[in-house]
Amino acid sequence: MISSIAELISDRIATMPAGERRAAQTLIANYPLTGLKTVAEFSTAAGVSSPTILRFVARLGFQNYPEFQSALQDELAAQLQSPASRTLNPSSAGSAVSPMLEATLDNMRETFRHLSDKQLADIAARLAERRGKTFLIGGRFTDPLARYMAAHLAIIQPDVYHLAGQESIWRDRLIDMGKRDVLVIFDIRRYQESLIRFAEKAHQRGVQIVLFTDQWLSPIARFARHVIAGRTAVPSAWDSSAALFVVAETIIGAVTRQLEADGAKRIRDLEALR
């Protein structure tokens, strides 16, 4: 399974020199469009030299800049695919396991292969902090994940809110958001403009954003403190959120362990109210 450039960056950024790291961060902040510019334009945007950009591209495993750009163009085309344009692969004759299940399991393995223990621990630690509120929201097909995660976190700690309803309702909640708070957003292709606008406004207010997205990266990545890039493509007209669901459950479990004492007391108190 071919890794996306965002996944390659996630795998290798810890070993990059400072200049290449700036190139990587600049690309992620406007993914993939910055990489589709000339070397000179990319280097200016990142504030590094053109040779640094070429070394960055080589570190990702590309022979030259055109090969790097060709891969980005393929990713951009995949980003823009609609359900109607995706090829439906028929089930393999005589297969004991359907292609859909195989693809879903591969997505989970690949997602976790590109996630570091530190990244997951950092996100869990931030969500376990008691110094602010936690808001969760998703798109047309991913909001059930936000609702599911919010339902669990709200049991073990206070001030957890799932943002539902119309965009105007989300915007009204911005008045309650600030630098002490976290906003968890789920957004996969084709990325939802209303979520992008909302994320930008929250970012302007200093809210820390945790983004769950796909391997091609929602534009919200430019505003996010933490980005989970999960595999979503399966042999179907529809993308699969299964890998992101498992990541969400992994983080829920980690937060629960960190809040073990307070969470257990809160659960007992909730049970007593029933």
Side-chain angles (χ1 to χ4, degrees):
M1 187 175 290
I2 298 173
S3 296
S4 71
I5 290 174
E7 290 171 332
L8 294 174
I9 290 172
S10 178
D11 292 344
R12 302 174 193 187
I13 194 168
T15 63
M16 291 179 185
E20 292 178 31
R21 192 177 302 118
R22 284 198 298 275
Q25 292 165 343
T26 301
L27 176 58
I28 293 300
N30 192 21
Y31 191 86
L33 299 182
T34 294
L36 297 175
K37 297 179 179 180
T38 66
V39 174
E41 290 170 331
F42 190 170
S43 67
T44 299
V48 299
S49 67
S50 293
T52 297
I53 297 297
L54 296 178
R55 287 194 295 271
F56 162 68
V57 167
R59 188 178 297 274
L60 297 181
F62 296 97
Q63 296 297 316
N64 49 54
Y65 198 70
E67 184 182 20
F68 164 75
Q69 288 193 314
S70 177
L72 282 177
Q73 288 166 350
D74 289 343
E75 290 188 23
L76 183 59
Q79 260 190 22
L80 299 175
Q81 283 182 352
S82 70
S85 67
R86 292 174 201 154
T87 301
L88 303 183
N89 296 323
S91 298
S92 301
S95 174
V97 182
S98 73
M100 184 71 177
L101 178 57
E102 291 176 355
T104 301
L105 293 174
D106 282 342
N107 283 348
M108 292 180 187
R109 282 189 287 265
E110 285 297 302
T111 295
F112 279 90
R113 186 169 72 85
H114 295 289
L115 283 177
S116 68
D117 290 341
K118 183 180 185 305
Q119 184 179 11
L120 292 171
D122 287 348
I123 294 172
R126 184 63 186 89
L127 291 176
E129 289 181 7
R130 298 291 296 276
R131 64 191 183 101
K133 301 180 288 293
T134 301
F135 300 89
L136 300 97
I137 191 170
R140 180 180 180 187
F141 295 112
T142 54
D143 195 55
L145 279 73
R147 186 183 305 114
Y148 179 87
M149 192 171 187
H152 283 77
L153 295 179
I155 291 175
I156 57 175
Q157 62 185 23
D159 297 323
V160 175
Y161 307 97
H162 171 239
L163 301 177
Q166 299 177 352
E167 184 182 358
S168 59
I169 297 175
W170 315 342
R171 289 200 305 268
D172 289 346
R173 296 305 301 270
L174 284 168
I175 195 66
D176 300 320
M177 297 185 189
K179 295 179 180 179
R180 299 165 65 90
D181 303 323
V182 180
L183 173 62
V184 180
I185 303 179
F186 293 81
D187 187 37
I188 62 175
R189 69 174 181 184
R190 306 152 74 191
Y191 311 114
Q192 193 163 314
E193 287 294 333
S194 56
L195 285 180
I196 298 169
R197 291 192 296 269
F198 183 68
E200 183 175 13
K201 293 290 186 183
H203 175 70
Q204 290 170 354
R205 295 182 65 84
V207 179
Q208 293 187 25
I209 295 175
V210 177
L211 172 65
F212 286 72
T213 186
D214 50 36
Q215 70 200 72
W216 305 287
L217 300 189
S218 162
I220 293 171
R222 72 177 68 118
F223 310 121
R225 176 70 61 89
H226 301 284
V227 178
I228 298 287
R231 291 295 183 104
T232 60
V234 289
S236 166
W238 309 102
D239 280 333
S240 167
S241 295
L244 292 178
F245 185 90
V246 176
V247 176
E249 288 205 317
T250 301
I251 292 174
I252 290 168
V255 174
T256 302
R257 287 189 294 274
Q258 292 193 37
L259 296 175
E260 184 173 4
D262 291 341
K265 180 181 183 304
R266 187 173 169 85
I267 291 172
R268 289 195 299 271
D269 290 345
L270 285 171
E271 290 296 324
L273 293 173
R274 293 179 176 173

